[in-house]
Amino acid sequence: MASVAITRKPHLLTPLLHQLRCRSLSTATSAADTESRISRSGAKILESFREEFEIGSRVVSLETGKIARFANGAVVLGLGDTNVLSTVCSAKGDSLRDFLPLTVDYQEKQFAQGVIPSTYMRREGAPKERELLCGRLIDRPIRPLFPAGFYHEVQVMASVLSSDGNQDPDIMAANATSAALMLSDIPWGGPIGMIRIGRIDGHLIVNPTVDELNMSDLNLVYACTRDKTLMLDVQAREISEKDLDAAFRFAHPEAVKFIDPQLRLAAKAGKQKKEYKLSLVSERTMDKIRNLSEKPIEAIFTDPSYGKFERGEALEKIGQEVKVVLEEEGDEESLKVLSKTVDTVRKQIIRRRIITEGFRLDGRRLDEVRPVYCEAGNLPGLHGSALFSRGDTQVLCTVTLGAPGDAQRLDSIVGPPTKRFMLHYSFPPYCINEVGKRTGLNRREVGHGTLAEKALLAVLPPELDFPYTVRINSEVMGSDGSTSMATVCGGSMALMDAGIPLRDHVAGLSVGLVTEVDSSTGNVEEYRILTDILGLEDHLGDMDFKIAGTRNGITAIQLDIKPAGIPLDIICESLEPAYKGRLQILDHMEQEINAARTQDGRNSPRIITLKYSNDDLRRLIGPLGALKMKIEEETGARMSVSDGTLTILAKNQSVMEKVQEKVDLIIGRAIEIGGVYKGIVTSIKEYGAFVEFNGGQHGLLHVSELSHEPVSKISDVISVGQQLSLMCIGQDLRGNIKLSLKATTPQKTKKSNAAKESSDLSKQKPDSCTTDKNSPNQQENKSYRVKDSPEDTDSSTKLNPSYSSMSPIVIRSAVECEEEEKSAGLGSSLKDNSKPQRASKSNPSQKPKTSKSLNTELGVASTGSDAFLSKKIKTTKPFLRTEKRPDYDSESSSSDEDKVEEDKFTISALADILDDQESTVEGQIDAKKLKLGMKVTAKILQVRARGLVLDLGGGINGMYRFESGGKREFEVGDEVRAKCVSFNSKGIPVMAIMQDE
């Protein structure tokens, strides 16, 4: 493929073009033809080299020579409509360093997705977290392949040129970097291949798209050479070690497919590798320093009583002693490499002792975990906190809960726009007793924090069940190896301490490796796997294999190595000791806290999501959000507004109520009968007052609803501008809202005459006879029915007994009772009295008043027996329309027996109380004569499953409920002596059968 570039002065460029002739892929053009073409048209032919191959079901292309030609190595890798450019450059001259200064910069500019940056300057700012993570992902597999002693500065720059949003460019950038290093003259032991593997419904997928990753329970990034593994990065949802082993072995051959195209491209367009000066230590210097330091170092490493800093100070002292000897001898060459050579001697001693003797620095066995200490809730003033220690490594984790609007906004060209779970890892200098500066984002801190975040993300509850934004802050208090895995342990406990219902605890630890390699073949001859490595074992070992998970499986993995690859079999073998060590740590964590704490403490935040119209939300926000910000400043709460929803996050319940009150005053809420609202009196009329409430709505507070006592002058009770708590009791015929003040205040009980007493008793609904409000002929024929279900009760009379509109007590005739029973559908006249129909259970909420209220209304003095009676007789609890009512029909038989015994005691107690007021009526009675305590001779009209219908004479019917579990033998037509103990809400007498005197 060729492209043409036009130049203004071809005669000046002709000599240069003769030297920069490029080889064409399609046709071979002779030098003479090229020179003649250049001289005629002034055109320059730019050759590009391209390799295409297939990975999975997608075509991947590698191209070089078209752009960034001056870079030491430059490759554009394309996959679909996503293209990534990677360039490599090396510093000139000799290096005086003792380390490899490799810098990897990855950048995603917004032009790649056709977007102008939203920043003030409309430019990309400092590197984002994702860019730092992608840079680490490229750095980790390529760094081990630079030759030992190569200390020249190398810079890798990867840029996303275009993105279709379907493919994550990070894997593409790593493979493009490998190809660019192969094309450059920098010595490097590549190439490498990197692949991403997903798993959906148990099937492994190569190079999954972003949408496929959202459905996958595995996100595996695998990098390798042709025969060894270089890097692993895993995020999973509790995948087992066996399945992960299979995924590793599936990924390796797929990643190797990237290697051959890079070799072919390097053969066509690659540069000759440059001879660089390697900073290597001579054998003479190495032997000399080894002889001076080996025995003292070995003495320190064989003494397990040394701690981290004591061991470090002793090793530093040995180095100073060797330095004094070399200075006395004037050996300048050895002094230059003293630090590095002493470190090499330490490494050799530790590795030899581990492989030959199986003992470690602190005297532990190879599979032994350091002592663990856990403490959850150590900072009670926070939402959640935990302190985790493993050996000398100590981490303090805290949890802060926020509203959905507090989620982190991501400007990445792929992936979700926000992130509701964040883990921020901090490694302050004091944790290793050093002096240092606190700067901006640190690559190491971002990488360790993201690893712990991946590990915990798998056990978080779904967003619908737990809509909070969660932030974990991890502060390393002491570092001696694997602080990122300690963060996982401490973060898991802190989340449970904050009341977040995790599926399971997550723990993690780091596994190390020490190998003995054949120098001639590079094969591993012997190796030892170390569980829970120290910081020095990490530095002097070959592998840092961080594995986190639950008892059920792995949630996150990060593998970093120092040699040029490790056999995959050794890596898979390391999963088993990591699992055993993880279980030991989980045991300690579960002993400290094994379930989410309840959120009823004073520091527990509250969150609520309310539905409103967008117009109402605009009123709440106000101009430029001023009204919303004012409420947040006054209350300290946070409010998030989205399409049709308002989410409020408050520090505690009292703050939540304060915010809701302010929101209700601005935009209101759905009005419900029985709901209590705060309003302001706007005007007073002679018949009542008008009140503004619930965000600008108006209602009428009638004079009859001001107080339980008669009100002669409204202004004596309320005034204009006064704020009141009012209950909505319904609407009038015109749709106006009716409010009640007396419904929100308790009613004072007073002694009154017998008629008043019977009226008050009837309001308590001791029995199940109420009016059918929905009957169309209610006002005309006064037909009523018996109700045994609480759902049948008129909702307008259930709001509060103090204001329910009750009709005066009316004694029904036998015909009216019969019509009422027929309309209720509870049964008709029985043809066979010996097999009565079964009636539904009565409503337990319809019981007589307590003994205290009865004593007050009936004028009976309180005694010791009355106190015992008060424990048996229960008050009526009104149900609100929005309140879930209990299903009494599903109660157990034991509760039915208790209820029967309680009813028996209640009726008997009422009969005893009324003994002093009883009167006997012989012969015909009427409604005016019948009152509480009156004894009559009644005839049994019907025998029901739960009671009797009695004919009291004069066309009046009464009701009697059986007093025990098994009813007595009653026959229709029998005469019994009965006493009137109460009236139900519709005036039907409730009778008690007198024992034979």
Side-chain angles (χ1 to χ4, degrees), residues 828-837 940-944 967 970-973:
S828 58
S829 299
L830 300 178
K831 297 181 179 180
D832 186 359
N833 293 331
S834 62
K835 298 181 180 180
Q837 292 184 354
I940 299 177
L941 287 179
Q942 293 180 9
V943 179
R944 301 281 183 94
K967 59 180 180 293
F970 291 102
E971 297 290 339
V972 175

Side-chain angles (χ1 to χ4, degrees), residues 765 770-771 773 787 791-799:
K765 306 180 185 179
T770 54
T771 312
K773 183 178 180 180
K787 294 185 183 178
E791 286 80 358
D792 294 334
T793 309
D794 185 4
S795 60
S796 63
T797 64
K798 288 183 295 186
L799 299 176

Side-chain angles (χ1 to χ4, degrees), residues 836-903:
Q837 292 184 354
R838 181 177 179 179
S840 60
K841 294 184 179 181
S842 61
N843 189 351
S845 65
Q846 299 170 346
K847 294 180 181 180
K849 291 188 177 182
T850 62
S851 60
K852 182 176 180 180
S853 60
L854 283 173
N855 292 344
T856 304
E857 296 183 11
L858 299 177
V860 180
S862 178
T863 62
S865 60
D866 295 334
F868 175 75
L869 179 62
S870 64
K871 298 180 181 179
K872 290 289 184 178
I873 306 176
K874 298 184 179 180
T875 58
T876 303
K877 180 180 182 299
F879 289 105
L880 299 180
R881 176 165 294 185
T882 58
E883 184 176 351
K884 184 178 180 181
R885 304 181 183 185
D887 185 8
Y888 293 103
D889 291 336
S890 61
E891 291 178 353
S892 63
S893 60
S894 61
S895 61
D896 290 339
E897 293 174 1
D898 295 339
K899 183 179 182 305
V900 170
E901 292 298 325
E902 181 179 325
D903 291 340

